[in-house]
Amino acid sequence: MTPNKQDWQQLDKYLDLFSQITRDFVDTLEQRPVAAKAQKAPSLTLPQQGHDLDELATVMSEHLLPNLSASRGPRYWGFVTGGATPVATLADWLVTSFDQNVSKGGDSIATEIERQTLGWLNQLFELPQSFKGIFTTGATAANFLAAMTARQFAGHQQGINVAEEGVYGLDIKVFSTTPHASMVKSLGMAGLGRKRYQQVTSVDGTEAMDTQALAQALARCSSKGKVVVASAATVTGTDFDDLLTIGKLCEQHQAWLHVDAAFGIFDRLVNGSDGRTRGIELADSITLDAHKWLNVPYDCGMFLTRHRQYLFESCDVPAPYLVQSGEEPDFMSLGVENSRRFRALPVWLSLLAYGRDGIAHWVNKNIRQASELANWLAQSKDYEMVRYGDLNVVLFRPIIKGLNEEQLGRLCDETLSAINADGRIFLSPGQWQGQKIIRAAFSNWQTESDDIDIAKKVLLEVFAPKQN
Ligand SMILES: *Cc1c(COP(=O)(O)O)cnc(C)c1O
């Protein structure tokens, strides 16, 4: 097949095929194993002459469709995973249909839609409109921008323009208690070093920062550039740092405060701005994820900052043919990429379609489901409910009397493998206070209480053979 313009005359044929694939995949979502059984690349070779559409359909149905993950479905509870709603799914299709390049304004409304969507997200989460930012590929990319922006700020405090001169000679100290792994990676990528953060002690029995320990660390710190990375919430225990206290300490010590609120920000839809994220408005920058609890397709996250100038200085594209198109900085000068897809569209259309109430509905539902599973586990004689932090994540492990910690760790690994091999639900591993645990995280809009019943059944069945 050689493409030419006439291909568009056959658009219906393409739409039929790809719509059918979409329909079949969605229709079979609940029947297929949540994790694919075969994951090896198919035995296909690069063709000299391309295949026609019918052959492509065959290739896809034989080699691709049977071995996909059902992670967008209702029973994939590994990591923190959303599944795109119908509007978000097809909005993402339109992103590709429209194929806009949201690098700079001047030829499309797409840039203004991205700005509007960021403003709406501030409203959704009750954040001041002084937070400006950009859509990223996810929370990792947002955390990377946070590291870049914070180091630019730290540079300014000591007369170094890091974007121009580099990090050599920069005096910077980072404090955090339980940073997400992607934040640690970002410190490395930004040239600050993965090992260069000082771990502030946690509040006993939690992953949250001990703010008195932070106060002491900041008071003792003689570094000219101070950065605090806080969590709302941590990915394992869903613990929230006390952002109000931390925010005030940062103001007092002229420290940059970055808050990784990838999925914890959704607590605001349940408990408002006075709940566990109280004080987040004191942050200098915030990371948010959209492809988790907002249930839009990969890849979609957001970086917000009250000091866009530092972001701009870090990411500005110095080329004469790329002069800025308006008063607001172009998006290519606020992020990693020059050319960018119209990533805001699925979020914009989701917000229009579902509104604040629609989103709050599935967030509340997921929290109820996590709490139901936690209660059931607490009653179970086969499992120990290790931790439920009143949000969407439950930590637990299988338990057999008389086993030592090492044996319990092995039992935990084996049980998790058996659960995932069963194929009805999918969970991921973790560690809590040094012990191995299994983690169930609920952030999919489609999950219903029948799915929790299925989970209970699986957990009972998987455990049973272990007892003899
Ligand atoms: C998931 C997550 C990340 C990383 O996000 P990606 O979108 O996978 O890049 C960062 N921080 C927290 C708290 C997360 O939950």
Side-chain angles (χ1 to χ4, degrees), residues 300-358:
C300 193
M302 288 82 66
F303 176 69
L304 300 174
T305 176
R306 288 193 289 131
H307 315 278
R308 190 172 55 185
Q309 182 59 23
Y310 298 134
L311 178 64
F312 176 76
E313 286 172 16
S314 302
C315 300
D316 184 25
V317 189
Y321 75 102
L322 294 172
V323 283
Q324 198 166 302
S325 57
E327 267 172 37
E328 294 276 308
D330 290 323
F331 283 116
M332 68 178 180
S333 290
L334 294 175
V336 173
E337 299 95 356
N338 272 20
S339 301
R340 307 170 61 245
R341 75 198 305 265
F342 191 4
R343 193 167 278 132
L345 185 64
V347 175
W348 188 73
L349 276 175
S350 293
L351 294 175
L352 283 172
Y354 304 116
R356 200 172 198 279
D357 287 351

Side-chain angles (χ1 to χ4, degrees), residues 80 137-141 143 180 182 233-235 260 262-263 287 289 291-292:
V80 179
T137 50
T140 302
N143 280 337
H180 190 269
S182 67
T234 58
V235 79
D260 182 349
F263 69 98
T287 282
D289 234 335
H291 55 215
K292 288 177 179 169

Side-chain angles (χ1 to χ4, degrees), residues 235-453:
V235 79
T236 306
T238 58
D239 285 310
F240 289 79
D241 285 341
D242 174 355
L243 301 176
L244 192 58
T245 306
I246 294 171
K248 286 180 184 160
L249 283 171
C250 286
E251 275 175 1
Q252 192 187 328
H253 293 276
Q254 286 96 49
W256 183 273
L257 173 59
H258 173 62
V259 179
D260 182 349
F263 69 98
I265 193 77
F266 288 83
D267 183 72
R268 281 170 105 76
L269 298 182
V270 181
N271 295 312
S273 55
D274 217 21
R276 288 177 287 185
T277 58
R278 193 162 63 116
I280 197 171
E281 60 283 349
L282 299 178
D284 297 292
S285 61
I286 303 177
T287 282
L288 304 177
D289 234 335
H291 55 215
K292 288 177 179 169
W293 232 346
L294 199 57
N295 282 267
V296 304
Y298 296 111
D299 32 27
C300 193
M302 288 82 66
F303 176 69
L304 300 174
T305 176
R306 288 193 289 131
H307 315 278
R308 190 172 55 185
Q309 182 59 23
Y310 298 134
L311 178 64
F312 176 76
E313 286 172 16
S314 302
C315 300
D316 184 25
V317 189
Y321 75 102
L322 294 172
V323 283
Q324 198 166 302
S325 57
E327 267 172 37
E328 294 276 308
D330 290 323
F331 283 116
M332 68 178 180
S333 290
L334 294 175
V336 173
E337 299 95 356
N338 272 20
S339 301
R340 307 170 61 245
R341 75 198 305 265
F342 191 4
R343 193 167 278 132
L345 185 64
V347 175
W348 188 73
L349 276 175
S350 293
L351 294 175
L352 283 172
Y354 304 116
R356 200 172 198 279
D357 287 351
I359 297 162
H361 172 76
W362 76 64
V363 168
N364 272 297
K365 191 173 75 163
N366 289 150
I367 294 173
R368 275 200 310 277
Q369 290 155 351
S371 137
E372 188 194 331
L373 184 66
N375 286 334
W376 182 81
L377 287 162
Q379 308 286 319
S380 157
K381 57 178 184 20
D382 303 333
Y383 293 93
E384 177 189 16
M385 209 288 287
V386 174
R387 164 114 176 150
Y388 171 52
D390 286 330
L391 201 67
N392 59 334
V393 179
V394 185
L395 312 182
F396 67 97
R397 62 175 185 170
I399 203 102
I400 294 178
K401 280 214 183 73
L403 296 191
N404 62 29
E405 275 304 318
E406 199 193 320
Q407 292 166 320
L408 282 173
R410 227 172 305 133
L411 176 68
C412 191
D413 289 342
E414 287 165 14
T415 307
L416 178 60
S417 303
I419 292 168
N420 290 343
D422 171 86
R424 281 174 287 176
I425 63 175
F426 186 88
L427 306 176
S428 54
Q431 272 216 1
W432 182 254
Q433 313 275 319
Q435 73 193 23
K436 284 192 173 174
I437 47 95
I438 299 174
R439 220 175 131 270
F442 300 87
S443 30
N444 189 299
W445 63 283
Q446 293 159 110
T447 308
E448 296 295 347
S449 43
D450 330 352
D451 297 306
I452 308 301
D453 294 339

Side-chain angles (χ1 to χ4, degrees), residues 102-152:
V102 195
S103 60
K104 58 207 299 309
D107 61 356
S108 165
I109 197 174
T111 302
E112 287 309 321
I113 300 285
E114 180 160 341
R115 290 195 183 114
Q116 181 167 63
T117 314
L118 289 164
W120 285 356
L121 288 165
N122 281 337
Q123 277 180 24
L124 178 73
F125 296 124
E126 299 180 62
L127 295 170
Q129 290 298 345
S130 49
F131 279 101
K132 306 276 184 203
I134 183 167
F135 275 83
T136 62
T137 50
T140 302
N143 280 337
F144 177 57
L145 293 181
M148 305 281 283
T149 310
R151 71 175 201 186
Q152 190 68 11

